[in-house]
Amino acid sequence: DAGVIQSPRHEVTEMGQEVTLRCKPISGHDYLFWYRQTMMRGLELLIYFNNNVPIDDSGMPEDRFSAKMPNASFSTLKIQPSEPRDSAVYFCASSHVTGTGNYGYTFGSGTRLTVV
Amino acid sequence: QKEVEQDPGPLSVPEGAIVSLNCTYSNSAFQYFMWYRQYSRKGPELLMYTYSSGNKEDGRFTAQVDKSSKYISLFIRDSQPSDSATYLCAMRGSWKTSYDKVIFGPGTSLSVIP
C-alpha cells in the first residue's frame, strides 16, 4: 500500500494565482480529511468527506477555498485567489471505521504552500 | 478555552530518560484518544490509540487516559534520539454519533539528546 499520496510536495505561487492541491486516499478508506498546519494555529481541519460526500466544511476559512471529491480515489483542494496568509503545510488524511470504532488517520506527506 | 490543550515545549531530555507528555481537554464527549508522532517535514503518524479510561502499553510507550480529570498522558521509557519529533494528542467522540471529527492538540516538540 502506497499510503496517502499528495501532490505537489512543494508549491510556490504568486499572490492572486489559483492553487490546486491533490490527494489520493488509501483504497478502501471511506473518510477523507483536509488539514492545514501552521506554527501559530497547529493542525486545523478544513473539510472532510464521507463516501465522497462533504460532511463538514466549517473549517474552510473563506470562499476562496473549495474542495471536491469526484470519486473514492481522488480529492482536490483549490485556493482561488491565493494570498500570502494561505502559506502553510496542507495535509490530506484518510481513514476507515473498523468494527471497534478505531479509526486512526493515515496522513499524506503534505504539500508545503508558499504564496509570495 | 481551547478544546484540547498541550504544552508546546520544546522538551529536551537526555537519551535513556523517561518522557511524560500530557494533554488536557474540555469536551466530556470525547471517548477515543490517540497520540500521533510527527517527524520534521512529514505527516503525523498514529502511535497509540485508546478507548475510554485506562492504560495501554506498546513497547516503550504507555498511554494513560483519566476521563474524570479530562487528562491524557503518553510515557516514553528509555527514550532514544529517534524519538525526537513532535507529539500530538488527538481525541474524538463516539463513532455512532454525528460527531466524527478528530480534534488535535497543538503538539509538543521533543528532542532526545544522545
Side-chain angles (χ1 to χ4, degrees):
Chain A
D1 192 338
V4 176
I5 300 173
Q6 290 188 247
S7 64
R9 287 297 309 274
H10 303 274
E11 177 80 36
V12 180
T13 191
E14 292 186 348
M15 183 173 64
Q17 296 298 306
E18 178 179 294
V19 176
T20 299
L21 311 180
R22 296 173 176 80
C23 175
K24 177 179 169 57
I26 290 175
S27 177
H29 281 191
D30 47 3
Y31 283 85
L32 184 139
F33 306 83
W34 281 101
Y35 280 87
R36 177 172 68 177
Q37 188 176 42
T38 61
M39 288 292 292
M40 289 294 293
R41 302 172 70 91
L43 203 56
E44 300 176 278
L45 177 65
L46 301 177
I47 185 171
Y48 78 96
F49 296 82
N50 179 214
N51 292 322
N52 312 339
V53 176
I55 303 300
D56 186 346
D57 66 354
S58 59
M60 298 284 261
E62 302 169 31
D63 291 344
R64 298 184 296 106
F65 286 69
S66 62
K68 293 182 180 179
M69 192 166 184
N71 57 62
S73 59
F74 184 66
S75 178
T76 59
L77 178 68
K78 186 176 294 186
I79 308 172
Q80 165 64 22
S82 58
E83 296 184 3
R85 58 195 168 115
D86 301 331
S87 298
V89 181
Y90 290 80
F91 287 105
C92 175
S94 69
S95 74
H96 174 63
V97 181
T98 69
T100 62
N102 175 15
Y103 71 116
Y105 296 178
T106 302
F107 282 81
S109 296
T111 295
R112 185 171 297 271
L113 174 65
T114 303
V115 183
V116 297
Chain B
Q1 181 187 10
K2 292 183 178 179
E3 278 194 291
V4 180
E5 305 216 41
Q6 190 176 4
D7 187 337
L11 182 63
S12 184
V13 301
E15 183 175 353
I18 296 174
V19 177
S20 173
L21 304 168
N22 310 294
C23 282
T24 58
Y25 63 94
S26 58
N27 190 339
S28 58
F30 290 141
Q31 295 190 48
Y32 296 87
F33 303 91
M34 293 148 279
W35 286 94
Y36 283 79
R37 178 176 60 195
Q38 185 176 20
Y39 291 115
S40 179
R41 296 186 177 272
K42 297 287 187 182
E45 58 177 336
L46 182 65
L47 190 62
M48 297 281 287
Y49 157 81
T50 54
Y51 171 69
S52 195
S53 288
N55 294 358
K56 184 174 184 178
E57 187 173 320
D58 184 2
R60 296 184 295 110
F61 299 88
T62 300
Q64 286 186 351
V65 175
D66 182 350
K67 290 187 67 180
S68 62
S69 301
K70 298 190 180 66
Y71 188 87
I72 70 170
S73 301
L74 177 70
F75 297 95
I76 307 174
R77 292 184 299 279
D78 187 24
S79 55
Q80 303 295 309
S82 59
D83 295 327
S84 298
T86 296
Y87 290 80
L88 301 96
C89 62
M91 49 200 75
R92 65 177 296 272
S94 168
W95 67 284
K96 292 181 179 179
T97 70
S98 62
Y99 191 80
D100 289 324
K101 291 188 293 187
V102 169
I103 306 299
F104 286 84
T108 298
S109 176
L110 171 68
S111 293
V112 180
I113 311 300

